[in-house]
Amino acid sequence: MRQPESAAMLAASRTATEATAAARTSSAPAMTTMTYKGYTATVAYDTDAGLFHGEVADTRDVITFQGKSIAEMKKALAGSIEDYCAFCKERGEKPS
């Protein structure tokens, strides 16, 4: 038996709404980027921990940072990059 058009539209609307709600509550974090001195980092928010976590991309070494706010993240990214550059200098290497 065929549903009336309005009932089919309502069912489709509910399905779309449920999919949107599921996407909003999924454990996959939303990603964004930040930059400092030419380095780019990806940033995600961990709802379970209540923290932002970041990782600098395209370096030979792993550079991570975290914070509870955007201001903390900016400071943490800058500190991590400065520490990385100092570490490379100590090793006599050019930062990548």
Side-chain angles (χ1 to χ4, degrees):
M1 188 173 192
R2 186 175 164 183
Q3 293 181 342
E5 194 170 311
S6 61
M9 290 176 66
L10 180 59
S13 176
R14 283 187 187 144
T15 302
T17 302
E18 290 167 0
T20 301
R24 286 185 183 150
T25 59
S26 75
S27 60
M31 302 289 271
T32 191
T33 60
M34 297 174 69
T35 58
Y36 179 78
K37 289 191 173 182
Y39 292 90
T40 300
T42 57
V43 177
Y45 185 72
D46 182 339
T47 55
D48 293 335
L51 290 172
F52 291 97
H53 296 277
E55 184 171 343
V56 179
D58 302 323
T59 60
R60 69 176 164 265
D61 298 300
V62 176
I63 305 170
T64 62
F65 55 102
Q66 66 182 26
K68 291 185 177 184
S69 67
I70 300 302
E72 281 186 20
M73 289 299 287
K74 288 179 179 180
K75 187 175 179 179
L77 173 60
S80 291
I81 296 297
E82 295 298 333
D83 289 348
Y84 172 67
C85 291
F87 179 69
C88 288
K89 186 176 181 179
E90 287 175 14
R91 291 190 307 189
E93 298 176 355
K94 183 178 176 182
S96 61

